[in-house]
């Protein structure tokens, strides 16, 4: 835009932008979670090329660490460039072929995203229903299989929008395999946070994100496919609609050839490597236990404040706690107070639960007793400003 008086373009002056000084938040929303300092340090190490022999070694290490974290021997285990949705779209966009029937859940926000992606992949979408805030019932899944004979079945193991953990996973995969279907599991809010076992539970494809229970910045997202699932991908009659996420092409880079497809987000791969190294040092089962222990204290504390959890204990999700907003309390005023006064992030409800719940994450490096104590004290204060007595 030209200055009216002088006729000089504003672009000739460099913008006066100060040094980056983000606020020091405590992240206890639905993601991202607090990043471990070791991960931040890994991100400030020197860049190497994406085909550098040293980077090829790092790729191998990341793949090994991902297999450990997913509890799988799948050869096809890679970080996808992009956020969790990129890993999600590569699972769905490669496994769902035009004309395939895809069965997806309606019990949360991310099941809806699965439906959109399957539809864009050319699939015919059918649903298995449950209310927001409840898991899928295997009886309903079985009925949906009998009715629709889907080729692909997607489910969300940890629904971040509702704080529900899907139980009975082996039963669900059993139903799908009795019908020769492929199972895709959304493990974005479970991987590294709650028990999740790809091989033992017979899951064909699972995707995740780095910024939830792995406490790593977003940018490179875990994906694993069984040989059986990869055979379906490699036998497709038509190419997947996305070139960038086409797994048959990505095989050239992450498989044996290590040839160029696109430039990997090198720094994000470093970050993921360090985040996964932390998982390995802690031990995956110990890490699941820690999330459960720390979130159990959060749940107890929230109840002591006079609040209620949205999910019953039977399918409570430790990594994402949906807490009911009490009568007469303004949910967004509480969220704003926590952010302004305590630099503490939590989130509101989504979709069918908008206005009804707060979503409090207890993920990765944020799943520490110190954070829970801090959150409970801050929440008590925020509720008091709303006149809530408990
Ligand atoms: C966060 C999330 C995603 C999407 O991940 P992005 O990193 O935001 O793209 C998908 N599924 C679930 C269950 C999530 O919580």
């Amino acid at each position: 835009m030209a200055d009216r008086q002088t006729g000089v373009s504003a672009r000739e002056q460099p913008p006066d932008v100060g040094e980056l000084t983000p606020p020091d938040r405590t992240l206890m929303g639905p993601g991202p979670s607090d990043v471990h300092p070791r991960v931040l340090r890994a991100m400030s190490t020197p860049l190497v090329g994406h085909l550098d022999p040293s980077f090829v070694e790092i790729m191998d290490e990341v793949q090994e660490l991902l297999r450990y974290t997913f509890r799988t021997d799948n050869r096809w285990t890679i970080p996808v460039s992009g956020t969790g949705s990129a890993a999600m779209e590569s699972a769905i966009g490669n496994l769902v072929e035009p004309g395939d029937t895809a069965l997806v859940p309606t019990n949360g926000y991310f099941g809806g995203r699965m439906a959109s992606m399957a539809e864009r992949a050319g699939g015919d979408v059918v649903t298995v229903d449950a209310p927001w805030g409840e898991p899928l019932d295997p009886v309903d899944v079985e009925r949906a299989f009998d009715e629709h004979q889907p080729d692909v079945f997607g489910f969300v193991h940890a629904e971040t929008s509702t704080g529900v953990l899907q139980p009975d996973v082996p039963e669900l995969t059993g139903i799908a395999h009795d019908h020769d279907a492929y199972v895709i599991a959304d493990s974005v809010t479970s991987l590294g946070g709650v028990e999740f076992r790809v091989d033992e539970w017979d899951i064909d494809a699972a995707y995740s994100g780095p910024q939830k229970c792995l406490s790593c910045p977003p940018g490179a997202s875990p994906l694993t496919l069984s040989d059986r699932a990869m055979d379906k991908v490699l036998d497709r009659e038509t190419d997947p609609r996305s070139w960038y996420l086409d797994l048959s092409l990505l095989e050239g880079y992450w498989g044996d050839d290590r040839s160029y497809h696109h430039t990997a987000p090198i720094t994000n791969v470093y970050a993921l490597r360090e985040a996964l190294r932390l998982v390995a040092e802690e031990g995956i089962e110990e890490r699941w236990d820690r999330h459960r222990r720390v979130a159990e204290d959060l749940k107890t504390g929230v109840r002591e404040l006079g609040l209620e959890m949205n999910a019953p204990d039977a399918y409570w999700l430790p990594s994402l706690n949906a807490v009911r907003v009490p009568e007469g309390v303004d949910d967004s005023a509480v969220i704003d107070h926590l952010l302004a006064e305590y630099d503490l992030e939590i989130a509101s409800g989504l979709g069918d639960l908008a206005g009804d719940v707060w979503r409090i994450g207890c993920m990765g490096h944020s799943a520490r007793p110190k954070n829970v104590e801090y959150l409970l004290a801050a929440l008590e204060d925020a509720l008091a400003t709303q006149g809530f007595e408990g």
Side-chain angles (χ1 to χ4, degrees):
M1 210 205 300
D3 184 291
R4 280 206 203 93
Q5 250 110 61
T6 61
V8 173
S9 164
R11 301 258 167 80
E12 284 171 22
Q13 292 299 322
D16 181 18
V17 175
E19 196 187 332
L20 181 70
T21 52
D24 189 8
R25 307 284 201 218
T26 297
L27 299 175
M28 297 197 75
S33 56
D34 284 347
V35 174
H36 195 286
R38 266 174 51 187
V39 174
L40 289 176
R41 277 204 295 280
M43 294 184 82
S44 55
T45 56
L47 205 68
V48 297
H50 58 285
L51 295 171
D52 190 296
S54 68
F55 192 67
V56 169
E57 206 172 298
I58 289 168
M59 290 164 72
D60 288 338
E61 290 164 348
V62 169
Q63 289 183 283
E64 267 309 290
L65 288 162
L66 280 175
R67 290 184 190 104
Y68 171 75
T69 307
F70 269 127
R71 316 306 299 128
T72 186
D73 291 324
N74 286 343
R75 199 158 51 93
W76 259 94
T77 305
I78 64 169
V80 175
S81 304
T83 70
S85 301
M88 180 176 190
E89 195 143 33
S90 52
I92 295 171
N94 281 273
L95 272 172
V96 176
E97 297 174 64
D100 276 356
T101 299
L103 177 66
V104 299
T106 59
N107 61 338
Y109 179 85
F110 290 102
R113 186 173 292 185
M114 275 186 163
S116 306
M117 287 181 177
E119 197 176 297
R120 282 169 190 238
D124 298 319
V125 173
V126 293
T127 59
V128 48
D129 301 325
W132 278 51
E134 284 179 32
L136 298 180
D137 184 333
V139 172
D140 295 332
V141 173
E142 178 97 58
R143 197 178 302 129
F145 264 95
D146 290 340
E147 189 181 341
H148 303 293
Q149 300 297 329
D151 304 286
V152 175
F153 166 52
F155 76 95
V156 181
H157 182 236
E159 227 330 327
T160 324
S161 64
T162 61
V164 166
L165 180 68
Q166 177 64 50
D168 313 314
V169 175
E171 204 176 328
L172 301 186
T173 57
I175 295 166
H177 292 142
D178 286 346
H179 289 79
D180 289 326
Y182 295 81
V183 178
I184 302 177
D186 181 318
S187 62
V188 177
T189 294
S190 29
L191 188 69
V194 297
E195 183 179 15
F196 184 70
R197 301 176 185 274
V198 168
D199 286 3
E200 207 180 300
W201 293 354
D202 219 0
I203 292 165
D204 299 289
Y207 58 84
S208 189
Q211 77 276 20
K212 312 264 168 120
C213 299
L214 299 176
S215 267
C216 177
S221 298
L223 174 70
T224 187
L225 279 88
S226 66
D227 283 346
R228 174 172 174 266
M230 201 54 194
D231 285 348
K232 174 166 165 55
V233 172
L234 296 175
D235 285 348
R236 286 177 63 111
E237 279 171 21
T238 56
D239 289 337
R241 292 183 180 174
S242 167
W243 177 88
Y244 194 67
L245 299 173
D246 182 339
L247 291 173
S248 70
L249 300 179
L250 284 172
E251 189 195 15
Y253 184 52
W254 286 99
D256 294 333
D257 290 355
R258 304 284 152 137
S259 57
Y260 172 70
H261 174 260
H262 68 267
T263 310
I266 295 146
T267 303
N268 292 93
V269 175
Y270 292 172
L272 186 59
R273 180 182 181 280
E274 193 61 21
L276 293 169
R277 230 160 65 85
L278 286 161
V279 174
E281 278 174 27
E282 183 173 7
I284 187 73
E285 299 200 350
E286 172 49 38
R287 193 175 171 98
W288 297 336
D289 287 347
R290 167 169 62 87
H291 277 79
R292 183 163 278 278
R293 265 195 324 271
V294 173
E296 194 80 56
D297 287 346
L298 182 121
K299 189 167 69 168
T300 305
V302 154
R303 285 177 174 157
E304 279 168 8
L305 291 177
L307 304 174
E308 277 172 48
M309 300 292 292
N310 196 56
D313 287 349
Y315 43 85
W316 160 66
L317 173 62
S319 47
L320 196 286
N321 296 270
V323 176
R324 296 210 58 89
V325 177
E327 204 57 49
V329 169
D330 177 346
D331 63 323
S332 41
V334 168
I335 291 169
D336 293 349
H337 185 85
L338 294 179
L339 195 68
E341 302 300 322
Y342 294 93
D343 267 321
L344 175 62
E345 179 179 284
I346 68 165
S348 57
L350 278 180
D352 287 5
L353 294 176
D356 294 342
V357 297
W358 289 295
R359 292 181 302 144
I360 305 177
C362 192
M363 304 180 185
H365 193 52
S366 293
R368 282 178 293 162
K370 172 182 158 189
N371 281 31
V372 168
E373 288 301 317
Y374 185 58
L375 170 99
L376 290 171
L379 188 58
E380 184 171 19
D381 175 50
L383 288 167
T385 65
Q386 289 281 304
F388 178 73
E389 302 283 326

